[in-house]
Amino acid sequence: MDIATPTVLKSLASAGSAAKELTAWWKKSKGDSRALIGELKDNLIYLDIVVRDGVDLGEVIEKVSVTEYKRLANVGFNFNTLKRGKIALFPSLAGTDLASWQGKTTEALVESIYDKLNDLKLRYPHVKRNEKYRWHVRVNNIRKRIWLLLRHVSH
């Protein structure tokens, strides 16, 4: 399945590139940030397995985790410490589904990623056969937001 990927994210969309970037970010991080980045990396790998390898979402949904995010949210972790500043105005995002993220905070993007992951975990087991849920589209949208987060923290 081909997805429309803004030019600014194309390098991260290639096989394994985003996982390598997450590993590099993870190695530079400490403590709670490191735990969250590790969880994000694992989640991206599971989502990639669904999209790239054609594995049914049902086979990996239980492995997708929101545990570290929820733990950190419950103790008041400031997700903006992952990267201070607003998401840059990348020209290639104009006219895409990610355009609205420009100028928003890191925390807003991280919350959105995890809201979508949690929604996937809650809904999929119960309504996986409902045609109104386009699961591959949802999975791709989460992947693109993770790529945007990676682009943001490396910019």
Side-chain angles (χ1 to χ4, degrees), residues 19-50:
K20 288 177 190 170
E21 289 290 325
L22 277 163
T23 299
W25 184 21
W26 177 81
K27 286 179 179 178
K28 293 186 285 186
S29 301
K30 295 180 181 170
D32 289 334
S33 295
R34 187 177 178 114
L36 183 71
I37 295 163
E39 183 175 75
L40 263 174
K41 179 184 172 190
D42 289 351
N43 287 338
L44 180 61
I45 290 169
Y46 288 125
L47 298 177
D48 283 347
I49 288 169
V50 170

Side-chain angles (χ1 to χ4, degrees), residues 110-123:
V110 170
E111 286 175 355
S112 174
I113 290 167
Y114 274 96
D115 282 348
K116 294 204 172 296
L117 285 169
N118 195 53
D119 186 68
L120 205 64
K121 287 182 67 63
L122 293 173
R123 287 182 197 279

Side-chain angles (χ1 to χ4, degrees), residues 15 24 48 56 106 118 137 139:
D48 283 347
D56 185 78
T106 305
N118 195 53
V137 172
V139 167

Side-chain angles (χ1 to χ4, degrees), residues 47-150:
L47 298 177
D48 283 347
I49 288 169
V50 170
V51 173
R52 290 205 175 113
D53 300 325
V55 171
D56 185 78
L57 181 57
E59 292 184 39
V60 299
I61 196 67
E62 290 301 318
K63 292 178 168 95
V64 171
S65 175
V66 295
T67 305
E68 286 300 323
Y69 171 78
K70 284 184 175 183
R71 177 183 70 80
L72 294 172
N74 285 335
V75 298
F77 182 78
N78 181 357
F79 294 99
N80 286 323
T81 61
L82 296 171
K83 169 72 178 193
R84 300 232 182 259
K86 307 278 183 182
I87 297 169
L89 301 172
F90 299 111
S92 74
L93 291 182
T96 72
D97 57 333
L98 297 173
S100 65
W101 286 103
Q102 298 176 110
K104 291 188 178 173
T105 64
T106 305
E107 183 170 51
L109 182 55
V110 170
E111 286 175 355
S112 174
I113 290 167
Y114 274 96
D115 282 348
K116 294 204 172 296
L117 285 169
N118 195 53
D119 186 68
L120 205 64
K121 287 182 67 63
L122 293 173
R123 287 182 197 279
Y124 185 79
H126 304 288
V127 292
K128 60 185 163 196
R129 291 185 189 9
N130 189 325
E131 292 181 16
K132 81 174 188 177
Y133 295 99
R134 300 177 312 162
W135 299 112
H136 270 328
V137 172
R138 288 173 182 241
V139 167
N140 275 325
N141 286 340
I142 297 167
R143 289 170 70 225
K144 288 192 290 184
R145 287 176 190 206
I146 294 172
W147 297 339
L148 179 59
L149 176 63
L150 281 169

